[in-house]
Amino acid sequence: MRQLHLILLGSPGAGKGTHAEYLEKELGITHISTGDILREAVAQQSELGKKAQQYMDAGQLVPDELIIELAQQRLQQPDCTSGWLLDGFPRTVAQAEALTQLIEESNGSEPLAVNMTISDQEVIRRLSGRRLCRDCAQIFNVYRDNIGVADPCPTCGGQLYIRTDDQPEAIKERLKVYQDETAPVIEYYRRQGQLITVDVAGEQQQVSQHLLAAIKAPQASEK
Ligand code: AMP
């Protein structure tokens, strides 16, 4: 298969991170989550982390110039030469334009954007049940994984926590930001003929396989 450059688009809670982990393994490409990079920067209280934290806690977007520079640097790392999968970037049209320019300046290959669709109601249910492990960063859900409030991580025994931006007020803000800022990115890739759409409402494993099949045969998927 040709070298893959994938962009996962979808509202918060669509399951981008979870499906990206599966696709990374199946396709052998590098998974880049700008949210994970930022959370790490916040945990370390680096310059970037200090600048980003207030926006993230409020469910707002980190300013374009910060995030574009972060993505540029990450995409130039050696592990990106055999393909990449972006999860959480681009989230504004300005970021999408910067990415197009970056690709043109490097190998000029055509990325494929995957629009992962799901209802707001399901998004709210998923986000409010989401738990992350402090040690191995794996994602769980109390509605899916049979996990109690005080349980340790089923994989490594680490402490599970709720992201600050998964609190109800922040979820509301993130959905609004998604409609206002990120939905136009879907149109951007549709106009370029680089978009496929996949319904991600179902059971996780089935959806992962469906996504993989759609990515391998994009012409068969709804554009
Ligand atoms: P995520 O884990 O992708 O949901 O990202 C968590 C938070 O990190 C978002 O709510 C934003 O505050 C910030 N963030 C991640 N990626 C971006 C991006 N591409 N542009 C702006 N902010 C971002």
Side-chain angles (χ1 to χ4, degrees), residues 26 33 49 88 125 186 190:
E26 289 294 320
S33 157
R125 199 179 79 90
I186 295 167
R190 200 192 305 276

Side-chain angles (χ1 to χ4, degrees), residues 10-13 16-17 33-39 52-64 66-68 70-71 87-92 95 127 130 132 163 165-166 170 174 177 182:
S11 73
K16 296 188 293 296
S33 157
T34 43
D36 281 353
I37 298 173
L38 290 171
R39 275 185 289 281
Q53 184 165 16
Q54 49 172 323
Y55 300 101
M56 295 174 73
D57 285 349
Q60 289 163 0
L61 294 183
V62 171
D64 280 340
L66 277 184
I67 210 86
I68 288 171
L70 181 160
D87 149 18
F89 179 88
R91 263 178 155 101
T92 64
Q95 292 178 18
L127 290 180
R130 181 157 70 178
L132 257 77
R163 282 170 40 170
D165 58 353
D166 283 342
R174 287 164 71 202
V177 167
T182 310

Side-chain angles (χ1 to χ4, degrees), residues 21-95:
E21 282 171 18
Y22 171 86
L23 294 171
E24 174 182 35
K25 284 194 201 109
E26 289 294 320
L27 297 167
I29 54 178
T30 298
H31 168 204
I32 299 170
S33 157
T34 43
D36 281 353
I37 298 173
L38 290 171
R39 275 185 289 281
E40 178 76 27
V42 170
Q44 292 178 349
Q45 282 297 290
S46 67
E47 276 312 303
L48 171 67
K50 285 182 197 157
K51 286 183 194 156
Q53 184 165 16
Q54 49 172 323
Y55 300 101
M56 295 174 73
D57 285 349
Q60 289 163 0
L61 294 183
V62 171
D64 280 340
E65 60 273 17
L66 277 184
I67 210 86
I68 288 171
E69 199 191 318
L70 181 160
Q72 269 169 348
Q73 287 177 1
R74 184 63 188 87
L75 287 168
Q76 280 159 9
Q77 301 297 311
D79 62 350
C80 291
T81 48
S82 52
W84 42 250
L85 184 168
L86 294 177
D87 149 18
F89 179 88
R91 263 178 155 101
T92 64
V93 171
Q95 292 178 18

